[in-house]
Amino acid sequence: MTDAAPSPWNIANAVTAARIALVPVFAVLLLVDDGDSMLWRLVATGVFLLAALSDRVDGHLARSRGLVTDLGKILDPIADKALTGTALVLLWWPLGELPWWVPAVILVRELGITVMRMAMLRYAVMPASRGGKIKTVLQIAAISIFLLPLDQLPSAVTVIAWVVMAAAIVVTLVTGVDYVVQAVRLRRRATDA
């Protein structure tokens, strides 16, 4: 007798769905008073961090309670990309606090690797690497600092924001190259077999 697959309607997927639902809430809060309100910037930052940290909660629930589902595997990266992508794009436009190339570099890498991982499914599953997890932490940290009302904080905070963002960009690019190398190796092994 085999165990039945868990229902896609479970607590882990509900947390992921809530994270997706928080994305437009975060966006609206960030844009209150054209992003110039210290209070609303702090509230938006709090909502962003809550949503970002919920990623650990849904993953823990899914693994610890045997609730890993195909729906969760699809929704989780969508939720992550929607949250970070929205933040990066809004920080670029309309807020003008990041140059265009920052969201462009990060989002092109994220979307490209996601598409590549999906294409590789016919050969093998490419799990998230340790570097990919470090990349995610750095991106969340950098975005969180940039979401703060930097113009109302000491200039040292802006310097820290750029140092963390630079680290996030470097790790984002390096891990992207690493995923491509892994994909080439997996494909060669699969086609040589």
Side-chain angles (χ1 to χ4, degrees):
M1 182 171 158
T2 60
D3 292 332
S7 167
W9 306 106
N10 62 54
I11 187 68
N13 289 346
V15 172
T16 304
R19 185 161 73 252
I20 293 170
L22 281 176
V23 172
V25 174
F26 156 72
V28 168
L29 292 172
L30 182 62
L31 297 176
V32 170
D33 293 333
D34 296 324
D36 292 330
S37 167
M38 180 175 215
L39 172 64
W40 290 111
R41 287 295 288 257
L42 292 173
V43 172
T45 304
V47 170
F48 177 84
L49 284 169
L50 175 68
L53 294 174
S54 76
D55 184 33
R56 301 227 2 123
V57 173
D58 62 20
H60 173 74
L61 287 170
R63 288 184 298 277
S64 68
R65 297 185 181 188
L67 300 175
V68 176
T69 63
D70 289 341
L71 178 63
K73 290 176 188 176
I74 293 168
L75 287 182
D76 190 62
I78 289 171
D80 296 342
K81 308 294 186 271
L83 181 64
T84 57
T86 298
L88 288 165
V89 169
L90 291 178
L91 285 167
W92 161 56
W93 184 85
L95 298 178
E97 296 175 19
L98 283 177
W100 67 269
W101 59 266
V102 172
V105 165
I106 292 174
L107 295 177
V108 165
R109 181 272 189 204
E110 295 294 337
L111 295 174
I113 295 302
T114 299
V115 168
M116 183 193 72
R117 287 173 76 180
M118 287 182 177
M120 289 301 298
L121 286 175
R122 72 179 102 155
Y123 304 108
V125 173
M126 293 182 67
S129 67
R130 180 173 291 168
K133 293 174 183 176
I134 293 168
K135 178 252 337 163
T136 300
V137 169
L138 284 170
Q139 285 181 3
I140 297 298
I143 291 168
S144 298
I145 300 169
F146 268 99
L147 289 172
L148 296 171
L150 293 177
D151 62 335
Q152 299 175 45
L153 297 172
S155 59
V157 178
T158 301
V159 172
I160 292 167
W162 276 110
V163 168
V164 177
M165 184 61 80
I169 291 167
V170 168
V171 174
T172 296
L173 293 173
V174 168
T175 56
V177 170
D178 183 53
Y179 276 119
V180 171
V181 169
Q182 284 182 49
V184 169
R185 287 182 185 150
L186 281 171
R187 185 158 190 251
R188 277 191 193 142
R189 269 189 243 138
T191 55
D192 291 346

